[in-house]
Amino acid sequence: MYAKHVKLKGYRSFKKEQVLELSYPGRDGKKYGLNVLVGPSSSGKTSILKLFQNRGYGLDTDEVRSNASIEFSDVAGNRQVTKYSSLSTEATTQLIPEGIGPQFMPLILPYQRQLYFSTTNPSSGYVPSDSNPRSLIFHTASSLSSHFSISQKLNDDTIASTLASCLDKPGVSEILMSKVRELIPGFGNLRVIRSGNSKSIRYVFPNSTTTIDANNLSDGTKFIIGLCLYIVIYDADLSGLNHTPPPNILVIDEPELGLFPQVQKKVFAILQKISENTQVIYATHSPYFLDWFALLDGARIFRTNVRRKIAEVRELNVSDDVIKVLKTQPRLLNQYDLVSREIFFAEKIVFVEGQEDANILRNYIVKNGIEFSWEFYGYGVGGADRAASFVRIAKNLGIQCAAIFDANVETGTRQECIDLLGKDAVKVWSADDIRDKPDKKTPISGIFDVAGVAPKSEQLNTEVLGLLQEIESL
């Protein structure tokens, strides 16, 4: 069973009700159950992920407002509603139907810096069965939430115990290490060290007997070990292990931390694969953990923003014109590459017609030491008629934006953006192009010289400065 939606109100900075309609495998016939949270720091991404640990029950007094409420619903319509009647941790929780509530089990893969490979509670965690070393069984419920036993969190004890148990079984250990080495070629080995009732994990350097405490491995390395441990325990297709039923939901906060970009790509591919059978929810600041094509097959992107100290969540609705390009116009796919994904992380963005517009204006700003806090979108939008498509994406995500057109662009094309942004945010050059193009069949007179180095006159320089200042003041 998967989570269908989360409603929150009066929780931390989310003063007004926010609803996240989540993706899950098979929803609307789509393949991926991938949910990605983006947005500036301190805008509420981690706050949302935290709710999955206990579905909003037992929040601290400084986390809730009067009359706060948290609601979870699963795909069968079962619900849990937790309400806080005053500024206290006293809460009432209603399970709908009574005594049942949502039937899903989240697993929280911890933030890297919380992954410590030592324990004084070796009985907790998933342990290979003595009768069948390729079957893993969770021995205790110490990592389950104390309320309704609704979430598993791979905490310090559980990570260490589970990892130690897997390393004790040669067949399981080999699978785990092979998964780690797929992401970190040249990774050495891990060894279990026991002292009384405690266990610790040592890292063994390649082709050496030298070891160090695994706690001293980098955050990225520890995260990869934790992710691979999840794969070995839960994903039979990838690991070949028989296992206990997997959790319905995998929750991760910032999986990119400490990872080399090429490894980020590989980890994203793993999470995308996992999302075919498990609902995956994570927050990220990395464009490597987003993919336009995944949006066509079920993935969803949510952006958190803060306006006047009040947080909000916006879901990206992929428009028909974007879908058309992704499916049928490969020549335009550079408009949706890695650089273009930065739109999901921008705060203020300017859409220009083409690559030359973006490059010439960036160069002009840097060369003249102009303070300009806006970003130019990627390589431009690929033509004036495509500007409105990207404006809709930015507006949909709550990102402030503006657009600049050449003088010869049809009024209707400009008007589409004016309707979306307002007249002040849509600018028009006095010339038909950003630079002179004398080699055209009909030569074009532009704002900048033919090389795009500088405006052709003081009057045009004043125009460029004025236009940038107007955008900066929006």
Side-chain angles (χ1 to χ4, degrees):
M1 195 78 73
Y2 305 115
K4 185 176 182 180
H5 73 241
V6 183
K7 292 182 181 179
L8 51 145
K9 178 183 178 182
Y11 167 59
R12 294 192 175 183
S13 297
F14 296 102
K15 182 178 180 180
K16 300 179 180 179
E17 183 177 87
Q18 307 293 315
V19 181
L20 286 79
E21 287 290 340
L22 300 170
S23 176
Y24 50 83
R27 181 164 191 171
D28 301 324
K30 302 294 186 179
K31 184 177 183 180
Y32 300 120
L34 194 64
N35 299 272
V36 185
L37 290 169
V38 299
S41 297
S42 299
S43 63
K45 300 184 300 299
T46 300
S47 296
I48 292 172
L49 296 185
K50 180 183 177 181
L51 292 176
F52 283 88
Q53 290 184 25
N54 51 16
R55 298 183 190 158
Y57 185 86
L59 298 175
D60 296 333
T61 55
D62 58 353
E63 294 183 294
V64 294
R65 301 170 183 265
S66 180
N67 298 318
S69 65
I70 310 293
E71 176 181 316
F72 279 85
S73 171
D74 65 21
V75 297
N78 303 315
R79 293 186 294 140
Q80 175 182 311
V81 182
T82 302
K83 294 183 177 181
Y84 293 79
S85 58
S86 61
L87 294 178
S88 71
T89 55
E90 293 297 323
T92 59
T93 296
Q94 181 181 13
L95 297 177
I96 306 170
E98 186 175 351
I100 298 178
Q103 300 297 296
F104 56 75
M105 173 74 80
L107 183 143
I108 317 295
L109 197 60
Y111 186 70
Q112 284 89 309
R113 293 177 178 84
Q114 295 174 350
L115 270 175
Y116 298 105
F117 300 131
S118 61
T119 182
T120 56
N121 182 16
S123 63
S124 67
Y126 283 86
V127 181
S129 165
D130 290 332
S131 60
N132 182 3
R134 296 181 66 79
S135 177
L136 294 126
I137 304 170
F138 190 70
H139 268 218
T140 76
S142 65
S143 70
L144 300 180
S145 167
S146 60
H147 185 71
F148 300 126
S149 295
I150 53 176
S151 68
Q152 288 175 277
K153 183 176 181 180
L154 286 181
N155 57 25
D156 302 349
D157 284 353
T158 309
I159 279 283
S161 295
T162 304
L163 181 58
S165 297
C166 287
L167 293 173
D168 280 341
K169 299 290 184 178
V172 179
S173 176
E174 290 168 5
I175 294 172
L176 175 61
M177 289 298 97
S178 70
K179 294 301 174 187
V180 172
R181 292 183 188 114
E182 287 177 13
L183 295 172
I184 311 176
F187 186 82
N189 216 328
L190 294 173
R191 178 183 299 168
V192 182
I193 303 296
R194 291 175 174 78
S195 178
N197 289 328
S198 67
K199 297 180 182 179
S200 63
I201 311 296
R202 303 284 296 182
Y203 173 70
V204 184
F205 287 92
N207 303 316
S208 172
T209 57
T210 303
T211 69
I212 60 170
D213 188 334
N215 290 315
N216 294 325
L217 294 171
S218 70
D219 287 346
T221 300
K222 288 190 284 186
F223 170 74
I224 285 174
I225 294 170
L227 178 63
C228 291
L229 186 62
Y230 167 85
I231 295 169
V232 167
I233 293 172
Y234 293 114
D235 199 320
D237 291 335
L238 293 178
S239 69
L241 287 170
N242 298 316
H243 52 68
T244 55
N248 311 104
I249 306 172
L250 175 63
V251 180
I252 310 175
D253 196 4
E254 300 184 21
E256 72 274 9
L257 292 183
L259 299 184
F260 185 65
Q262 293 300 319
V263 177
Q264 291 187 38
K265 294 179 184 179
K266 293 178 180 179
V267 170
F268 172 72
I270 289 172
L271 294 177
Q272 188 169 307
K273 175 68 176 176
I274 290 173
S275 77
E276 294 179 17
N277 299 295
T278 299
Q279 193 171 35
V280 177
I281 305 170
Y282 59 80
T284 184
H285 292 283
S286 170
Y288 291 106
F289 282 86
L290 297 161
D291 182 69
W292 289 96
F293 287 96
L295 294 173
L296 299 181
D297 216 350
R300 297 191 178 190
I301 294 177
F302 302 88
R303 174 162 167 139
T304 54
N305 301 295
V306 177
R307 302 281 187 265
R308 298 182 179 88
K309 298 183 180 181
I310 298 176
E312 64 174 8
V313 183
R314 301 279 194 99
E315 180 185 348
L316 172 64
N317 295 314
V318 184
S319 60
D320 291 340
D321 45 0
V322 173
I323 293 173
K324 181 179 179 181
V325 170
L326 293 174
K327 287 186 173 181
T328 66
Q329 299 179 9
R331 65 184 180 83
L332 295 175
L333 289 182
N334 66 307
Q335 307 302 324
Y336 299 93
D337 66 0
L338 179 65
V339 174
S340 74
R341 287 178 232 157
E342 292 182 2
I343 188 174
F344 299 113
F345 307 96
E347 294 188 23
K348 298 186 292 186
I349 195 162
V350 182
F351 296 104
V352 293
E353 294 182 36
Q355 181 173 334
E356 286 191 350
D357 301 70
N359 290 340
I360 288 171
L361 289 171
R362 287 189 188 111
N363 179 68
Y364 176 84
I365 289 168
V366 172
K367 183 179 177 182
N368 291 280
I370 298 170
E371 291 188 7
F372 192 69
S373 60
W374 294 61
E375 300 175 49
F376 292 98
Y377 176 73
Y379 309 111
V381 299
D385 60 337
R386 294 186 45 72
S389 172
F390 289 94
V391 167
R392 279 192 288 271
I393 291 173
K395 289 281 289 182
N396 189 208
L397 293 171
I399 300 168
Q400 188 177 6
C401 53
I404 305 174
F405 292 100
D406 297 334
N408 60 357
V409 172
E410 294 181 359
T411 303
T413 300
R414 298 199 303 264
Q415 188 61 47
E416 201 174 355
C417 288
I418 291 172
D419 292 342
L420 291 165
L421 299 175
K423 189 174 182 180
D424 290 343
V426 179
K427 306 299 180 183
V428 183
W429 296 120
S430 63
D432 288 346
D433 209 310
I434 189 67
R435 69 175 179 88
D436 279 350
K437 295 181 178 177
D439 53 343
K440 295 288 185 180
K441 186 174 182 180
T442 301
I444 299 175
S445 177
I447 299 293
F448 285 73
D449 58 39
V450 67
V453 174
K456 296 186 300 180
S457 67
E458 187 58 38
Q459 181 179 351
L460 291 173
N461 188 61
T462 300
E463 178 182 344
V464 176
L465 281 173
L467 184 146
L468 293 174
Q469 290 169 357
E470 288 174 6
I471 292 176
E472 183 66 19
S473 67
L474 290 174

